[in-house]
Amino acid sequence: MLQGRLPCIDWFSPPPSAFTSFYASFCSSCFPMSILQTLKNRFATALQPLSDDVAPLLDMIRSSQDPKFGDFQANCAMPLAKQVGRPPRDVAADIIAALDVSDICEAPEIAGPGFINLKLKDAWIVERVNSIAGDDRLGVMPVENPRHVIVDFSSPNVAKPMHVGHLRSSVIGDAICRTLRFAGHKVTSDNHIGDWGTQFGMIIYGYRNFVDSAAYAADPVAELARLYKLVNQLSDYHAAKQKLPQLKISLQLQKDELAAEQSETDPADKKAKKKLKSFQKAVDTTLDSIKSAEEKLAAVAADSNLQQLADAHPNIARLARAETSKLHAGDVDNQKLWDEFLPACLQALQRVYDRLDIQFDMTLGESYYNPMLADVVSSLKDKGLATDSDGATCVFVEGNEAPFIVQKTDGAFTYATTDLATIQYRVEQLKADEILYVVDKRQAEHFNLLFKTCELWGFKDLKCQHVSFGTVMGKDGKPYKTRSGDNIGLESLIDEAIARARTVVDENDDRRETPVLSAEDRHSVAEIVGIGGIKYADLHHNRESDYEFDWDKMLATTGDTATYMQYAYARICGIFRELNIDRNAIGQATANVLLTGPEERALALQLIQFDEAISSVISDYRPNQMTGWLFDAAGKFSAFYAQCSVKNAETPELKASRLVLCDLMARAIKTGLSLLAIDTAEVL
RNA sequence: GCGCCUGUAGCUCAGCUGGAUAGAGCAGCGGUCUUCUAAACCGCAGGUCAUUGGUUCGAAUCCAAUCAGGCGUACCA
C-alpha cells in the first residue's frame, strides 16, 4: 500500500509526550512509523540512482528468518545485479555506500551471494518502544485512505441450526471486521441470512402437518428445526426409494463396462489404465449412492412412526416446494407463518452470536432483496447481458462454461439474482467501496461469475473479494459430521468447550495453596478460555486450508492456543498485582526502557512490529497473521518472564523499564486478541 | 470430459510476491518450581517439501509432465 513512497520528512525522535499530536499532523505514508517502512524509505533513497523501479526491490526487505543474520535483511542486490550486469556483492556494496541508516542500524553486512544484513541499534529500538509506550494504538496509525468495506459473513440459513461451517465464516469474518476497523477503515458487517429459501417451504409444510404444539410453544426454534429435519428426511426417503432401482441398474451396467474394459486392458497402456480407473470410480460412486439411499430407507423403516408418515406423504418434496412458491408469490397464509417464524429464528441466532461476541451492523436477509429481483433481471436483459437458454434466463460470461442463472425455468429467481441485487443495494444505498464475502471456498465459481457479471453490469469501481475458507474435516477426512451424519450444532460445541475449560480451571486453581477464584470467577474464566480456544483453533490455520476438527486440539491448553496468550496476559497482571502497582500509573508517557539482555531486546523488537501484524492481516484478509504474531509475542514474553525478574530487578530504573515492557506486552496481547474477538482475564 | 485446489516431521499445521542450514505445536526423550502463576521455560531427536524434468546466481514456492487425493461443473443456497 505504502510501498515505494519517499518520505517527505525523515524519522527523528519527538519527545514522547508530544508524540501523538506530532505524528497526527503528518500523513501516515510520510511518517515512517513502522521499522520496515523506515528501512524501505532509506533504501528507496539509496536505490533511486541504481534502478528506475525501486518498488519491487523494496519489497525484498524483510525480517530475518534467523536472528544470526541480524534483525532485517535486504535481498535486492541479487536481482539488481542482474539488471545492471555486475556482481551482486559489488552491487550490495554500492547500495550500502549510498545507504544512510547509521542512526538506525549497526554497519550493514554483506553475506552469501549478496544479502544485506541489518542489525538494529538498541538505542533505536529503545526510542521506538519508548514512543509507543505512550500510545493507545501501540504505534498503529490509521490508514491514509479509509474505504467503506462491507463484510458479508456468517450467513446461516434460519430455522436450521448453525454448525461448524458457520463458525468458520463467523469467526474469520468478525476478525476481519475488527482488524479493518482498527486500521481505520469504515466497516459494515452484514449477515446475509438465508431467510427466503426452500427450507421455508419445508418448514411450512412440516408445521401444517406435523407440528407438536406444546413443543412449539415451549421452544419454537427447536420445534421448527425438528420439523425441517423431519420433512427433509421424508423427502430424502421418497427420493431414495424412487432412485434406488435405477441406481442398481446403473451399477450393473457400470460393472459390466468395467469388466469388459478390464479384460482387454493392456497393463502397459497408461491411457487405458486411466480409463479403467475412471470406470472403477464410477462404480464406487454408484455404490456409495446406493449405500446412502439404502441407509435412508432403513432409517425410516426402523421407526414405525416415521414409516407411517412417509407412507402418508408420498409427494412431500413437491408439496414443500409448492409452499415455497406460494410464499414467494405472496400467499397471505404462508407469509403470515413466515412472519411468525422469523423472529424466533433470529433470536436463536442472536443467542449464539452473543455468546461468541459477534455483532452485525445489519442483518439483511435474502427476503429483503426479494422485491428488487425482477428489476435486476430486466436490467440485465436491457443491457443485453441476460439471455434465454433452455427456458432459464442466464448471463454467459466469457471464459466460463457454466451460465449464471438469474431466473429459473419456473420463473423463480436464484441466489445469483439475490446476490446481484445485494451488490446494487450495497453500492447505491450504502456507498460501499469494497465487499468481502467470507464464504466456503467451494462456492468459488459462483463468486467468480458473480463478480464478472457485476462488472459487466456496470459496477466497475467496486472491489469484490471472495475471502474463501476451507472445509472443517472429521477424522475420516470427510466434512465434519456427527456419527449419525448430522452437523455438529454450534451451541453444544460452545457448551462443551466451556465445560472442558472449566475442568482445567478447577484443577489449576485447586492446585494453588489457597485458591483465588470464586465459583463465579471460575465460570467466567472457563467461558473466556473455552470460547477463545474454539476461535483460536480456527483462526490460526490459513483460512484456505481444510483442517481437521479435533476436540482435544481445539480445547488443548498447551502450545499454540489462545490459552497460551491468555496465560501470558494473566501472568503480567499477576506481576502488577504482586507488586501492588497500578498499570495506569507507571509513566508510559515518559518511559525509559533499558535493554540489558537478549530477552528484553527480543521482546521490545516484537512490540514495535505490532503494526506489521495488522497490515499483513489486512493485505490478504488472513487473521492467522495475527495469531502468528501473538504466539511469537507471548513466546518472547514467556522467555523474558523466566529470565528477567521484575520484582527482583537489580535497579529501580531496570524495574521501571521492565514494568513498561510488561504493560506494553499486556496491551499488545489484549489488543491483538481483541481483534480476533478473544477475551482475556486478569487471573487464570 | 472440462475447471479449480491440495500433497511439507509420527500426528495437526505454518512457510507472505523464489532467498541463506525448510519452521511451529502436539506426541517422544532429557533438564528446570524455597524467589513475579510450571496452562510455563531450556535442551535433544525427528524431513529426499508426492515423483521426474525445466527455468536461474538461488525453487517447498514459478513452469511442464506423472502419481495420489479433494472439490466444483444449468435451474439447491
Side-chain angles (χ1 to χ4, degrees):
Chain A
M1 270 175 295
L2 308 174
Q3 290 150 7
R5 286 171 195 264
L6 289 172
C8 44
I9 60 157
D10 209 343
W11 166 265
F12 67 97
S13 97
S17 55
F19 190 76
T20 309
S21 58
F22 167 86
Y23 198 117
S25 62
F26 294 91
C27 70
S28 55
S29 67
C30 303
F31 200 94
M33 188 60 175
S34 88
I35 313 171
L36 196 56
Q37 193 55 43
T38 308
L39 289 172
K40 282 182 179 180
N41 289 339
R42 301 295 180 88
F43 269 86
T45 312
L47 289 167
Q48 210 80 47
L50 298 168
S51 172
D52 297 335
D53 186 13
V54 296
L57 298 173
L58 294 178
D59 277 347
M60 307 181 92
I61 303 167
R62 59 191 63 174
S63 293
S64 293
Q65 59 166 11
D66 190 323
K68 79 173 179 224
F69 297 132
D71 301 317
F72 287 85
Q73 58 179 347
N75 303 339
C76 48
M78 284 87 82
L80 189 56
K82 195 188 257 174
Q83 281 176 36
V84 299
R86 295 179 44 220
R89 289 185 69 107
D90 290 0
V91 174
D94 286 356
I95 295 173
I96 290 175
L99 184 66
D100 179 15
V101 287
S102 55
D103 52 334
I104 305 174
C105 304
E106 309 292 346
E109 286 176 15
I110 301 172
F115 296 103
I116 299 172
N117 289 335
L118 303 165
K119 186 163 188 288
L120 297 176
K121 281 185 170 165
D122 285 4
W124 196 72
I125 295 176
V126 163
E127 214 169 75
R128 301 299 295 268
V129 177
N130 285 344
S131 50
I132 66 167
D135 181 7
D136 285 344
R137 293 177 54 86
L138 300 155
V140 181
M141 289 308 297
V143 289
E144 187 183 352
N145 299 311
R147 303 190 295 269
H148 182 195
V149 185
I150 298 196
V151 186
D152 182 324
F153 67 100
S154 196
S155 318
N157 284 317
V158 299
K160 276 172 144 177
M162 282 204 271
H163 55 79
V164 286
H166 298 113
L167 181 71
R168 275 213 101 172
S169 175
S170 305
V171 166
I172 294 170
D174 186 44
I176 290 171
C177 286
R178 288 168 184 253
T179 308
L180 283 169
R181 263 194 207 109
F182 186 80
H185 292 289
K186 181 180 175 193
V187 177
T188 301
S189 53
D190 185 8
N191 196 1
H192 189 71
I193 55 174
D195 60 359
W196 200 243
T198 41
Q199 87 273 22
F200 262 98
M202 296 166 86
I203 293 166
I204 290 171
Y205 186 90
Y207 183 81
R208 293 234 164 90
N209 292 280
F210 314 122
V211 73
D212 174 341
S213 301
Y216 181 73
D219 184 349
V221 177
E223 176 61 5
L224 291 178
R226 182 189 73 87
L227 291 172
Y228 170 78
K229 208 178 147 188
L230 176 62
V231 173
N232 207 20
Q233 189 177 17
L234 297 178
S235 305
D236 282 353
Y237 168 84
H238 287 295
K241 199 170 155 188
Q242 203 198 340
K243 245 177 16 194
L244 198 53
Q246 186 55 48
L247 279 173
K248 285 186 170 161
I249 294 168
S250 310
L251 180 66
Q252 197 50 54
L253 285 172
Q254 287 168 339
K255 275 186 170 168
D256 291 347
E257 268 179 345
L258 179 64
E261 194 67 26
Q262 264 166 340
S263 64
E264 58 190 63
T265 296
D266 169 10
D269 184 349
K270 275 190 179 170
K271 222 170 174 182
K273 238 172 112 183
K274 205 169 171 184
K275 201 169 169 191
L276 195 65
K277 229 170 94 185
S278 80
F279 279 129
Q280 183 64 53
K281 210 169 171 181
V283 169
D284 291 345
T285 308
T286 309
L287 273 171
D288 275 355
S289 306
I290 289 176
K291 195 178 151 208
S292 141
E294 280 173 342
E295 276 170 6
K296 279 169 180 161
L297 296 179
V300 170
D303 182 329
S304 59
N305 283 333
L306 272 179
Q307 186 65 60
Q308 267 179 19
L309 290 179
D311 293 341
H313 297 267
N315 297 315
I316 188 165
R318 187 169 55 74
L319 294 172
R321 272 201 303 276
E323 297 294 359
T324 310
S325 301
K326 273 166 71 184
L327 174 68
H328 289 181
D331 178 82
V332 176
D333 292 336
N334 279 11
Q335 179 73 43
K336 219 171 123 188
L337 281 178
W338 187 87
D339 289 341
E340 184 183 328
F341 295 156
L342 197 65
C345 296
L346 290 178
Q347 224 173 19
L349 292 179
Q350 194 55 47
R351 212 168 49 224
V352 176
Y353 294 133
D354 285 345
R355 296 184 77 183
L356 292 174
D357 190 22
I358 292 175
Q359 282 111 33
F360 291 96
D361 298 312
M362 51 177 60
T363 299
L364 294 183
E366 293 169 336
S367 62
Y368 183 81
Y369 300 96
N370 186 49
M372 311 169 197
L373 302 183
D375 287 345
V376 169
V377 173
S378 39
S379 164
L380 290 168
K381 280 180 176 166
D382 289 348
K383 295 193 175 181
L385 292 171
T387 50
D388 184 276
S389 172
D390 291 345
T393 308
C394 306
V395 178
F396 286 89
V397 177
E398 213 184 313
N400 293 71
E401 212 176 312
F404 200 48
I405 299 174
V406 293
Q407 192 166 18
K408 299 192 280 188
T409 318
D410 65 3
F413 302 111
T414 70
Y415 73 127
T417 334
T418 311
D419 279 349
L420 286 168
T422 306
I423 289 177
Q424 186 173 39
Y425 178 83
R426 286 172 177 167
V427 172
E428 290 175 0
Q429 304 299 315
L430 305 177
K431 311 292 179 204
D433 299 312
E434 181 172 352
I435 304 176
L436 303 179
Y437 295 86
V438 186
V439 180
D440 193 316
K441 71 177 174 188
R442 284 172 292 192
Q443 295 195 39
E445 227 165 302
H446 165 71
F447 285 108
N448 181 20
L449 283 167
L450 175 66
F451 299 158
K452 283 180 177 165
T453 302
C454 189
E455 202 181 336
L456 293 170
W457 198 23
F459 296 99
K460 300 217 188 288
D461 296 331
L462 179 69
K463 194 183 158 208
C464 289
Q465 187 175 336
H466 177 200
V467 179
S468 61
F469 57 84
T471 312
V472 182
M473 311 298 263
K475 282 259 177 233
D476 55 1
K478 290 182 179 154
Y480 188 55
K481 303 268 163 114
T482 60
R483 232 168 286 150
S484 59
D486 291 332
N487 286 317
I488 310 289
L490 213 42
E491 293 231 66
S492 58
L493 183 78
I494 296 170
D495 291 338
E496 175 84 19
I498 294 172
R500 289 193 185 216
R502 177 60 189 263
T503 312
V504 181
V505 172
D506 284 340
E507 276 172 12
N508 191 56
D509 200 37
D510 288 338
R511 249 198 327 264
R512 290 178 170 126
E513 277 177 37
T514 45
V516 297
L517 294 171
S518 67
E520 222 170 276
D521 290 340
R522 289 182 180 201
H523 178 73
S524 72
V525 169
E527 271 190 324
I528 289 168
V529 169
I531 293 176
I534 294 179
K535 290 183 176 175
Y536 191 90
D538 203 313
L539 290 167
H540 95 283
H541 291 101
N542 182 327
R543 63 176 163 78
E544 300 262 28
S545 309
D546 295 342
Y547 77 92
E548 187 179 296
F549 181 92
D550 182 334
W551 274 115
D552 294 329
K553 255 177 213 118
M554 182 169 263
L555 303 172
T557 51
T558 59
D560 187 5
T561 62
T563 312
Y564 186 69
M565 271 63 82
Q566 290 166 328
Y567 182 66
Y569 181 81
R571 293 220 284 191
I572 298 173
C573 294
I575 294 173
F576 284 89
R577 221 173 15 250
E578 172 75 18
L579 299 177
N580 201 18
I581 293 173
D582 180 357
R583 270 182 53 201
N584 297 314
I586 57 167
Q588 288 93 338
T590 54
N592 187 18
V593 168
L594 308 171
L595 304 181
T596 61
E599 291 83 9
E600 285 166 306
R601 188 182 189 278
L603 191 61
L605 185 56
Q606 180 76 16
L607 284 166
I608 58 180
Q609 293 183 90
F610 181 67
D611 59 340
E612 286 172 38
I614 305 268
S615 17
S616 78
V617 170
I618 289 177
S619 70
D620 199 25
Y621 308 115
R622 293 187 188 276
N624 67 324
Q625 298 289 341
M626 179 53 77
T627 64
W629 185 89
L630 283 165
F631 183 60
D632 285 347
K636 280 164 185 168
F637 171 75
S638 295
F640 163 89
Y641 184 88
Q643 206 58 40
C644 307
S645 176
V646 178
K647 190 162 128 186
N648 301 321
E650 287 81 350
T651 64
E653 291 76 22
L654 187 56
K655 187 171 175 181
S657 157
R658 287 179 177 171
L659 284 170
V660 167
L661 286 177
C662 285
D663 170 63
L664 251 180
M665 183 48 78
R667 282 157 51 208
I669 290 175
K670 194 179 172 71
T671 306
L673 284 177
S674 80
L675 296 179
L676 308 174
I678 294 173
D679 208 351
T680 46
E682 303 263 317
V683 183
L684 280 202

